[in-house]
Amino acid sequence: MPNPNGGPSAIPITRNGLVFYLPLWRPDRTGTTFSSMPPNAALCTVTGATWTSQGRSFITDDKITCPTIPALNSATNFTITVWYMRSALATSRVLWALGTTPNRLWAMTAAEVSQLYFYISNGALSTGRFTQLDVVGTFYYFALVFDGAGATNALKAKVYIGTVSSPMTQQTVTFEDAAMPTSTADNSASSFILGSTGTSQYLDGKEGEVLVYSSSLSLAQLEQNRKVTAWRYS
């Protein structure tokens, strides 16, 4: 019987709307190039980030560069999730980046080490911040959920955080700059980059697995994903 709490016999991750799955811990993805999981396999290139059994370790100018993800371009709904761990509480370090100003779709640590922030922009920077007291060496499961039909910023962009032992919890987001758009920008000419903007703000830590959906996942679906993947990060 599948194990609902994770491990090799775990029930599956949520598949509805899954368009990109990059398990950076897999031993068949230790090289400098590898593909995301089928059926939407995308060839990614590694610059420096070293393989570990809990994902890729990023320091200095390490990054992983993947092709753009079509479901994130001109998107009215999406979910991006990542297991991450910080090796140091350095400021302005990128978890993922797609596009450039003023069309950023990024998530990163803030200038204040107790915060994370994200951009969901389309022609003007739209920013959200939330308090996140990361502990060095601890893995966190971070989810950014977007629904462009939401009536307010808070209904358009939601953030959830969990850990190996703590369930996914919605975070209180402070919104800045322009209002959240009804859809993302068309970043089809840009790469989807892990651990960097591409040229700066490099992550100091690890990323274990990255999942992208063309749908706005529910809290229950995010919690299912956390449960069945958390065992790797304990």
Side-chain angles (χ1 to χ4, degrees):
M1 180 177 180
N3 175 10
N5 296 313
S9 62
I11 60 176
I13 57 174
T14 298
R15 296 286 179 179
N16 182 34
L18 181 62
V19 295
F20 180 85
Y21 178 31
L22 194 62
L24 297 170
W25 48 264
R26 282 180 60 117
D28 59 353
R29 281 161 172 76
T30 61
T32 56
T33 60
F34 53 82
S35 294
S36 59
M37 297 294 287
N40 300 312
L43 185 64
C44 300
T45 301
V46 178
T47 303
T50 56
W51 180 88
T52 78
S53 61
Q54 292 183 315
R56 290 279 178 160
S57 178
F58 298 79
I59 57 172
T60 319
D61 56 355
D62 295 350
K63 61 184 176 181
I64 297 176
T65 305
C66 302
T68 194
I69 299 174
L72 294 178
N73 297 321
S74 304
T76 56
N77 298 83
F78 72 76
T79 301
I80 304 175
T81 77
V82 59
W83 277 100
Y84 77 92
M85 180 270 283
R86 296 169 70 185
S87 300
L89 297 182
T91 60
S92 299
R93 297 294 190 258
V94 169
L95 296 176
W96 74 73
L98 175 66
T100 58
T101 304
N103 294 320
R104 294 177 180 176
L105 178 53
W106 295 6
M108 61 193 299
T109 66
E112 303 83 358
V113 296
S114 61
Q115 290 190 340
L116 294 181
Y117 66 103
F118 60 87
Y119 297 104
I120 304 175
S121 305
N122 189 350
L125 287 182
S126 303
T127 311
R129 293 177 180 263
F130 58 98
T131 299
Q132 174 59 17
L133 301 175
D134 286 341
V135 175
V136 168
T138 297
F139 271 96
Y140 297 89
Y141 189 46
F142 169 44
L144 176 61
V145 181
F146 178 69
D147 180 355
T152 65
N153 286 336
L155 292 175
K156 287 180 179 176
K158 299 178 181 179
V159 169
Y160 301 86
I161 295 281
T163 67
V164 170
S165 57
S166 301
M168 299 296 282
T169 303
Q170 186 171 355
Q171 306 299 298
T172 300
V173 177
T174 299
F175 294 92
E176 302 173 355
D177 305 315
M180 285 286 140
T182 57
S183 66
T184 64
D186 181 0
N187 283 311
S188 55
S190 298
S191 299
F192 183 73
I193 303 172
L194 303 179
S196 167
T197 64
T199 58
S200 63
Q201 296 171 302
Y202 299 98
L203 179 65
D204 189 355
K206 292 181 180 179
E207 294 192 32
E209 50 200 300
V210 181
L211 298 96
V212 178
Y213 293 82
S214 60
S215 55
S216 305
L217 295 194
S218 67
L219 175 58
Q221 289 173 315
L222 294 170
E223 178 62 6
Q224 175 181 326
N225 281 4
R226 184 200 67 83
K227 283 184 175 180
V228 301
T229 56
W231 64 279
R232 184 167 298 281
Y233 306 105
S234 59

